[in-house]
Amino acid sequence: MTSPAWTFAVAAVLIAVVDWVAVVRLDLRTERFAKPAVIVALLGVAANLEPNVVGARPWVVAALVASLAGDVLLLPGGRFRAGLAAFFLAQVAYLGSFVQWPLEVVGALIGMIGAAVLYAVAGRRIAAGAAATDRATGLAVIAYLIAISAMAVAATATLAPALVAGAWLFVASDAVLGWRRFVADPTGAALASPLSRLAVMVPYHVGQTLLVLSLAI
């Protein structure tokens, strides 16, 4: 990677740690700055590295821009369905990036098995809980589950370790968030606990970082 890309990558890691500390300390003021700032730093990485796969970078940049919008919309007190729509676009953009890679049938099969298992264990219950909230939310969550599953399958089909790990960490983060919101008791104190929110943010930030760095790995 170029020196500017490394600088932005280090900044992304440091800001992510600041965000995690803010989550633990219930410091919403710092979190409102730090959470989106991580994605801004990753945009700097994507803009300055030399991609190994021709045509992948514009899709990754689009995914990060959509993720930035989603991060802002999903801050505490935000708009859930609007944030979900932004992250739906992010998953579609990441899918567009991954199909620029050479794809392997074995990897695609492994990805489909993983997505099927995850849906059986958690996805179907998240979808049912969302549908119980209201029809529009239920449909939005189902569409998102399809998009993020397709993203993870395509990532796995590349057989690129950093990319596969990043995609599934992203999936894990959203699975925890969906389970917390639609399956667990939404009024329970544990849902707002720092450790519960940290279980969403850490894999999300690590996953996004790996997805961006995979452009140059």
Side-chain angles (χ1 to χ4, degrees):
M1 292 199 303
T2 64
S3 294
W6 276 114
T7 300
F8 279 112
V10 171
V13 171
L14 293 177
I15 298 169
V17 172
V18 170
D19 182 64
W20 303 343
V21 172
V23 168
V24 170
R25 297 179 60 184
L26 301 177
D27 182 357
L28 182 58
R29 182 177 179 180
T30 299
E31 188 181 354
R32 287 187 183 279
F33 158 78
K35 183 181 178 183
V38 175
I39 303 300
V40 172
L42 289 178
L43 277 165
V45 177
N48 286 281
L49 53 71
E50 295 296 332
N52 290 330
V53 178
V54 177
R57 175 159 46 195
W59 291 99
V60 171
V61 170
L64 290 171
V65 171
S67 295
L68 178 60
D71 277 347
V72 173
L73 289 166
L74 290 180
L75 282 167
R79 300 164 56 193
F80 176 76
R81 283 210 294 264
L84 190 66
F87 276 110
F88 174 88
L89 295 176
Q91 304 305 341
V92 172
Y94 270 131
L95 176 61
S97 171
F98 303 156
V99 298
Q100 309 299 316
W101 292 63
L103 303 181
E104 302 291 340
V105 174
V106 171
L109 290 174
I110 293 171
M112 285 188 283
I113 292 170
V117 170
L118 185 64
Y119 180 79
V121 172
R124 62 187 181 85
R125 295 189 63 183
I126 293 171
T133 302
D134 61 72
R135 178 178 173 81
T137 299
L139 292 174
V141 168
I142 290 172
Y144 186 76
L145 287 172
I146 293 171
I148 196 170
S149 297
M151 181 278 293
V153 170
T156 308
T158 68
L159 297 180
L163 203 158
V164 174
W168 285 101
L169 282 169
F170 204 148
V171 171
S173 171
D174 281 355
V176 172
L177 178 62
W179 187 274
R180 188 183 70 184
R181 186 178 185 94
F182 296 116
V183 180
D185 179 6
T187 62
L191 299 179
S193 72
L195 290 180
S196 175
R197 296 189 60 232
L198 203 60
V200 173
M201 295 313 303
V202 172
Y204 169 69
H205 283 145
V206 176
Q208 288 272 35
T209 301
L210 288 173
L211 290 178
V212 174
L213 293 179
S214 68
L215 281 172
I217 294 176

